[in-house]
Amino acid sequence: DKSVWIWESFLPGTVGGVDYDAGAGGDGDGEFECIAVLHGHEGDVKFCEFAPSNGQWGDGDDILLSASYDDTIKCWAEDAGDWYCAATLKAHTSTVWSVAAAPGGVRMVSGSADCSLGIWKCYTSAEKKRFPDAEGSKSNGLWKCVGQLPTAHELAIYSGHCAPSRAGHGRIASGGADDCINIYREIGGTSDAPLFSLDTSVEGAHQGDVNCVRWHPRDGSILASTGDDGTVRIWRYKV
């Protein structure tokens, strides 16, 4: 329905949770409450992910990134408890299937049906002054596409993910409709124009589309993938 919903959960035993005051009874299930419905995308919303705001977007601790069939990414921020669209990001020519914030939230990777990976950098409101054509509130930061891997896959890219900081290698994993998992590493350039190279590729990683790839949250040598073949696969990656 082209919307993004934000939910608050009340888990058993926590403030606001089931039987928090009673201390007994209940079915042990948490409760959920929708606290915001965000409109702005002109097509199906394919993915969303929270990322740190780093004090650059509204007054909340986090921002929400959403990817859509309308070929854009939206950055949603919170101000006095209300969520609003702080920026609309355009760099792809087809559906954006995934977004993934890097550790620390100052970089983001997007995957699209145009077969490319977009590399984005978040500039502070002070750094934003370097870009006179920048849109949006002066008090907000700026997401800017600083690099693009135009042929990262042969077909649509459905998922991308940045390795956790504990991994120590900063690789990007991606999967798509070409049944492959690719891993890219940064080989140089600057933060304003990073350069990436294909580190390794697993052809036929699944018998069908690779729908999702995720690094282990602590161990940078392990990642998981899911595919149209109905399987979840765990991979060992050697730097």
Side-chain angles (χ1 to χ4, degrees):
D1 61 5
K2 307 174 186 178
S3 67
V4 179
W5 291 41
I6 299 177
W7 298 81
E8 185 172 14
S9 64
F10 300 99
L11 301 177
T14 63
V15 175
V18 176
D19 299 320
Y20 172 71
D21 293 321
D27 57 11
D29 293 330
E31 295 181 348
F32 293 86
E33 177 185 355
C34 180
I35 59 175
V37 179
L38 311 178
H39 298 282
H41 279 295
E42 298 179 0
D44 302 350
V45 182
K46 302 299 186 182
F47 192 84
C48 64
E49 178 171 292
F50 284 104
S53 70
N54 292 316
Q56 300 302 314
W57 306 92
D59 60 10
D61 293 331
D62 302 292
I63 55 173
L64 181 63
L65 303 166
S66 59
S68 173
Y69 186 75
D70 63 10
D71 309 346
T72 71
I73 300 164
K74 287 189 180 294
C75 173
W76 308 88
E78 187 179 13
D79 193 5
D82 294 324
W83 287 84
Y84 67 97
C85 181
T88 298
L89 314 178
K90 300 178 181 179
H92 292 287
T93 58
S94 190
T95 302
V96 184
W97 282 97
S98 72
V99 288
V106 296
R107 179 178 282 180
M108 170 178 63
V109 176
S110 57
S112 170
D114 64 11
C115 306
S116 76
L117 285 172
I119 312 297
W120 302 78
K121 178 181 176 179
C122 182
Y123 292 89
T124 66
S125 55
E127 294 171 328
K128 183 179 179 180
K129 297 176 182 178
R130 294 164 43 193
F131 308 97
D133 58 343
E135 299 178 354
S137 170
K138 293 182 179 180
S139 61
N140 283 338
L142 171 69
W143 280 108
K144 185 176 179 62
C145 187
V146 294
Q148 203 155 11
L149 307 180
T151 55
H153 282 259
E154 294 182 1
L155 295 172
I157 299 173
Y158 292 140
S159 182
H161 197 229
C162 302
S165 56
R166 292 186 181 185
H169 56 63
R171 269 34 172 204
I172 297 170
S174 60
D178 56 5
D179 311 346
C180 292
I181 295 174
N182 291 342
I183 295 179
Y184 288 88
R185 64 185 177 93
E186 192 167 353
I187 58 173
T190 66
S191 63
D192 292 333
L195 298 176
F196 286 83
S197 175
L198 180 64
D199 197 36
T200 188
S201 179
V202 181
E203 298 181 0
H206 285 267
Q207 295 178 5
D209 297 353
V210 179
N211 295 317
C212 184
V213 290
R214 283 292 180 272
W215 291 100
H216 188 284
R218 295 178 301 278
D219 189 339
S221 67
I222 297 175
L223 65 159
S225 63
T226 65
D228 274 2
D229 56 8
T231 66
V232 176
R233 301 191 176 190
I234 311 296
W235 303 85
R236 175 74 68 180
Y237 169 70
K238 296 181 179 180
V239 179

